[in-house]
Amino acid sequence: MMKRLLASLLFLPLTFNCPAALAASPAELISDFRLKHGEGRVTMDSTLNRIALDQAKAMAAKEKLDHEVLGSFNSRVAPARAGRAAENIAYGYDNFQKTLGQWIDSSGHRKNLLLPKASRVGVASARSSSSRTYWAMVIAGDYEKPASAAAKKPAAAAKQKTTVQSCRIKILGACF
């Protein structure tokens, strides 16, 4: 009898909606929201996660909700090499779902979540000494694809031809 009871208890988490077990990742939650509003999915990015974590930790350490706590956003996001990026920050919520809900309800944060052509995201949180949780999200897109060496050569050759064609007389490297 006890064995049957224990065996049936093992399947209880499958029957009940257990938020911890079924929680979607931040990228999935953001993607779901973006898809409902005509934008594409985003995937987690290790560089953006590091940038978000550094921001969250700095805000927690200083107990200050501020985009500039570590310096300008542009300088902090530069290592991601994205053409466009945005950041959302928050504090006080103990989980990402609640934080995301607050961002969705705020027009400026919502605009960032719906950043056109975004394809990657980083999300992190850090707890301050007073047990306040600080959140940071960096969303980015328009990543440049590295140009191949073959693609660069024709452009350089075209430049040289233009220079040669525009010179009537070349004296000591100067074109006239």
Side-chain angles (χ1 to χ4, degrees):
M1 180 81 156
M2 186 64 139
K3 267 187 176 178
R4 280 189 206 167
L5 179 60
L6 287 174
S8 66
L9 287 175
L10 292 175
F11 294 103
L12 284 178
L14 297 175
T15 340
F16 295 105
N17 185 5
C18 178
L22 301 176
S25 75
E28 291 170 326
L29 293 170
I30 293 167
S31 291
D32 289 347
F33 174 73
R34 289 175 55 80
L35 288 170
K36 288 177 186 172
H37 294 88
E39 294 296 338
R41 289 193 168 282
V42 291
T43 58
M44 293 303 281
D45 180 85
S46 60
T47 301
L48 296 178
N49 275 336
R50 183 188 48 77
I51 293 167
L53 181 59
D54 290 347
Q55 175 68 12
K57 282 182 176 180
M59 290 186 302
K62 294 184 179 183
E63 295 269 358
K64 185 176 184 182
L65 185 70
D66 183 6
H67 288 282
E68 306 288 318
V69 74
L70 275 179
S72 75
F73 176 68
N74 288 339
S75 67
R76 292 186 294 106
V77 80
R81 299 176 192 242
R84 59 178 49 212
E87 175 179 68
N88 283 353
I89 56 176
Y91 72 88
Y93 296 103
D94 61 348
N95 65 56
F96 182 71
Q97 291 83 359
K98 289 179 184 176
T99 303
L100 179 60
Q102 182 258 332
W103 287 336
I104 288 170
D105 291 340
S106 160
S107 63
H109 293 102
R110 181 184 183 96
K111 183 178 176 184
N112 288 346
L113 288 166
L114 296 173
L115 181 72
K117 298 182 184 176
S119 58
R120 301 179 194 174
V121 69
V123 177
S125 66
R127 192 170 293 269
S128 71
S129 59
S130 66
S131 295
R132 180 179 280 170
T133 303
Y134 286 82
W135 291 90
M137 177 211 71
V138 180
I139 188 166
D142 281 348
Y143 286 88
E144 288 185 26
K145 294 178 182 167
S148 67
K152 288 181 183 177
K153 283 185 181 179
K159 255 188 184 177
Q160 288 175 348
K161 282 183 183 178
T162 304
T163 305
V164 172
Q165 290 173 350
S166 65
C167 290
R168 294 193 187 269
I169 300 173
K170 194 170 188 178
I171 301 173
L172 299 173
C175 281
F176 299 98

